[in-house]
Amino acid sequence: MTTNNNQAGFTSNFGAIAAAAGSAIGLGNIWRFPYTVGENGGGAFLLLYIAFVFLLGVPIMMSELAIGRRSKQNAVSAFHVLAPQKRGWMFVGFWGILTTFLIYSFYSVVTGWTLDYVVMSCQGGLAGKTPEQVSQVFADFSQSTFWPIFYQVIFMVLTALVVILGVQKGIEKSSKILMPLLFVLMLALCVRSLTLPGASAGVDFLFHPDFSKLTGASVLSALGQAMFSLSIGLGVLITYGSYVRKEDNLFKTSVIIASADTFIAVLSGIAIFPAVFAFGMSPASGPSLVYEVLPNVFNSMAGGTVFAVVFFVLLSIAALTSTISMLEAVVVWVMQALNVKRITSVCLTTGALLVTGILCTLSFGPLSHIQIANLSIFGFLDHLTATYMLPLGAIGIVVFLAWAYPKAQVYNELSNDGKLKAGYFKAYYFIIKYVAPIALAAVLLAGIFGVQM
Ligand code: PHE
C-alpha cells in the first residue's frame, strides 16, 4: 500500500487548526445554516444544533482526525491500514468519498453565486434596489444559464489550482489569511441588522425556542446541518488528519474548530434574521435566503457598496477553503486508486465534478422541470447528502473506531502516546461506542419515518 503523503503535512498546530477550521467555516455557516434554521422554525432548532455540535460533532471530529493521523492515509485506505483483516470497513471510506463528491457538486453552484455577487456589488448592481428588486435580481441570475456556470467554473478552477499546489503551499497558507477579517465584518453586519427597525422579531425567532415546532425531520436536519458545517461524516477530516503533526492535541484542536464554526454560524443568524423580519421577508424562503436578504442590509448602511464587496470576497474565500478540503479528499484517493500524479488526479476529478456541478446549476433554470422526490437536482443532492448520507457515514466512522479498532490504540492516538492528559477519554469513548451510534441511528429513523416530537 503506497501512502498518499507524497508531500509534507501541516507545519504547525495553528496551520492545522486554520486548515480544518477553513474546511468547516464556509457557505455551510453563512448560506446553509440560516436557511435551514429558517425552514425549521428558529430557536429550538438552534439549541438542538448546538447540542449536536458539541455532544456528537466534537467526538466524531476527534475520531476522524485520529484515524487520519494514525494511518497517514486517504479516507479509504485509512480503514485498510488500521484494520487490514477487515476489508469491508473500506466501504465507509468509499461512502465518504461519494458523499464528498456529491456535496461539492451542489456546493459549487453556491460558490458561483457568491463570486457573481462580488462582481455585481463591485458594479453597484444591487445598490439602491428595493427588497422586491433584489429578489428579482437573484431569481433572474440563478435561473439563467451562462453566468452562473461561468462563475461556477472559475471557482472550480481556482480550487483545483490550490489543490495542485499541495498542502503546505496551497491549503495552509490560504487558510490562515483573512479569516479574522471575516469575523470582524460579520460583527459589523450583526450590529447593522440588529439596529434596523423591526429587528426584534428576528431576535425572537432565533433565540426564543418554541419546541412545538420540532419534528423528527427537523431534528434530523439539525443533526445533518451540524455535520455538514463541521465537515464531518465523510472522511475529509481523515485526510486532513493525515497531515496533522504528531504532537498536536486533537481534543483541543477539535473543540477550537467546533467553537469557531458555531460562533460564525450564530453570528450569521444574528446578521440575517433581524433583517429578514425588518424587510418583511419569509425566513423559510430556502437556499436563496442569504442572497436576497443581505443586499438589503448593505443598502441600508453608509458605505454599503464597499461593505458588500468586502463581504462577498471574504465569503468566497471562506467557501474556497471548504471546496479545497473537499477536492483534496477526493483527489488523494483518486491518486492512489488510479496510481496517477496529483495534477492528473486534480484534472480528472475536477472534470467529473464539472459535469455534476453544471447539472446542479442548470436545475435552477433549463432543467428545473426535473424533480426527484419533489426536489430539483440541486435540492435533492443538498437534502440527500446532508440529511442522510452524512449521519450514515458518521455511524460508520465511530462504529469502526470503537468496535473494530483496539481501545488502547485509540487512547494512544488521542493522548499522543500518553504525553497528553486525556481526562475526557472515558466520556469520549462512551460516546463513540454507544451514545453516538444509537443517537445517530435514532435521529435518522425518526427523520425518515416522520416522527412528531
Ligand atoms: N463545512 C463546510 C461549510 O460549512 C462544507 C463542507 C462540507 C466542507 C463537507 C467539507 C466537507 O461550508
Side-chain angles (χ1 to χ4, degrees):
M1 180 95 16
T2 54
T3 82
N4 69 50
N5 283 21
N6 61 348
Q7 54 183 328
F10 299 131
T11 51
S12 64
N13 186 225
F14 182 70
I17 291 176
S23 170
I25 298 169
L27 295 170
N29 307 60
I30 294 166
W31 157 71
R32 200 174 189 284
F33 174 78
Y35 99 71
T36 320
V37 174
E39 283 179 340
N40 289 287
F45 182 91
L46 174 65
L47 280 183
L48 252 181
Y49 171 83
I50 294 177
F52 282 142
V53 165
F54 289 98
L55 293 178
L56 298 179
V58 168
I60 297 170
M61 185 181 284
M62 290 163 65
S63 306
E64 284 197 35
L65 292 172
I67 292 174
R69 189 170 71 172
R70 188 118 199 126
S71 64
K72 293 255 170 280
Q73 294 289 325
N74 65 60
V76 175
S77 34
F79 291 92
H80 181 61
V81 164
L82 296 189
Q85 313 316 338
K86 307 171 190 158
R87 291 185 66 86
W89 285 105
M90 283 189 348
F91 178 76
V92 177
F94 286 121
W95 181 258
I97 297 287
L98 175 69
T99 313
T100 311
F101 188 93
L102 296 178
I103 290 181
Y104 192 4
S105 304
F106 74 82
Y107 198 89
S108 65
V109 176
V110 190
T111 63
W113 295 349
T114 312
L115 218 47
D116 179 77
Y117 270 57
V118 171
V119 177
M120 201 143 49
S121 10
C122 281
Q123 296 167 335
L126 294 158
K129 295 216 163 15
T130 63
E132 291 74 33
Q133 288 168 327
V134 167
S135 297
Q136 196 56 45
V137 169
F138 179 81
D140 290 343
F141 163 71
S142 61
Q143 289 163 20
S144 64
T145 306
F146 181 77
W147 290 110
I149 295 180
F150 176 80
Y151 288 114
Q152 179 184 27
V153 171
I154 294 194
F155 208 97
M156 284 187 152
V157 171
L158 265 176
T159 307
L161 288 176
V162 181
V163 173
I164 289 172
L165 285 177
V167 171
Q168 268 188 31
K169 270 189 262 154
I171 299 170
E172 190 173 347
K173 278 219 178 93
S174 58
S175 298
K176 276 196 233 171
I177 311 170
L178 293 174
M179 277 290 166
L181 205 56
L182 183 67
F183 271 92
V184 176
L185 218 75
M186 291 294 299
L187 278 177
L189 277 181
C190 289
V191 171
R192 175 65 273 215
S193 189
L194 285 171
T195 50
L196 286 167
S200 60
V203 178
D204 242 37
F205 179 80
L206 189 60
F207 292 115
H208 207 130
D210 174 357
F211 287 96
S212 70
K213 288 194 178 143
L214 288 183
T215 59
S218 54
V219 175
L220 181 54
S221 293
L223 174 70
Q225 173 59 26
M227 307 193 62
F228 184 90
S229 192
L230 295 173
S231 309
I232 55 176
L234 28 62
V236 162
L237 292 187
I238 293 183
T239 305
Y240 271 20
S242 72
Y243 308 139
V244 172
R245 299 177 317 162
K246 266 278 158 259
E247 56 270 40
D248 288 357
N249 183 335
L250 295 184
F251 172 65
K252 227 172 77 192
T253 303
S254 304
V255 171
I256 292 175
I257 295 166
S259 308
D261 189 68
T262 307
F263 188 57
I264 290 276
V266 172
L267 280 187
S268 101
I270 300 176
I272 284 163
F273 288 108
V276 167
F277 287 89
F279 293 112
M281 306 169 93
S282 157
S285 34
S288 60
L289 182 70
V290 171
Y291 296 85
E292 294 185 52
V293 173
L294 285 184
N296 300 318
V297 181
F298 295 126
N299 284 341
S300 67
M301 296 166 90
T305 306
V306 179
F307 248 97
V309 174
V310 180
F311 175 80
F312 286 114
V313 168
L314 291 174
L315 185 56
S316 304
I317 293 167
L320 184 64
T321 51
S322 300
T323 52
I324 290 168
S325 71
M326 294 182 225
L327 186 62
E328 173 76 11
V330 182
V331 158
V332 288
W333 171 68
V334 171
M335 266 164 82
Q336 193 201 46
L338 303 183
N339 196 12
V340 290
K341 286 212 197 77
R342 174 169 276 269
I343 183 161
T344 318
S345 170
V346 171
C347 294
L348 288 174
T349 311
T350 304
L353 282 162
L354 277 172
V355 177
T356 49
I358 289 174
L359 277 177
C360 287
T361 293
L362 293 176
S363 76
F364 282 87
L367 298 184
S368 59
H369 58 282
I370 301 181
Q371 298 270 313
I372 315 168
N374 276 331
L375 294 163
S376 66
I377 303 176
F378 175 99
F380 177 71
L381 284 186
D382 181 353
H383 193 63
L384 175 75
T385 52
T387 313
Y388 301 106
M389 292 180 79
L390 287 184
L392 272 172
I395 293 179
I397 289 166
V398 291
V399 169
F400 168 79
L401 202 62
W403 294 87
Y405 194 64
K407 182 176 179 180
Q409 300 290 343
V410 179
Y411 179 80
N412 284 345
E413 190 55 37
L414 288 175
S415 68
N416 298 353
D417 296 320
K419 285 190 209 73
L420 297 174
K421 279 210 196 81
Y424 59 78
F425 187 77
K426 262 203 177 126
Y428 158 82
Y429 203 74
F430 185 74
I431 290 179
I432 63 163
K433 189 149 187 159
Y434 304 107
V435 181
I438 294 173
L440 291 170
V443 174
L444 259 170
L445 292 175
I448 293 171
F449 294 109
V451 172
Q452 219 57 41
M453 294 286 141

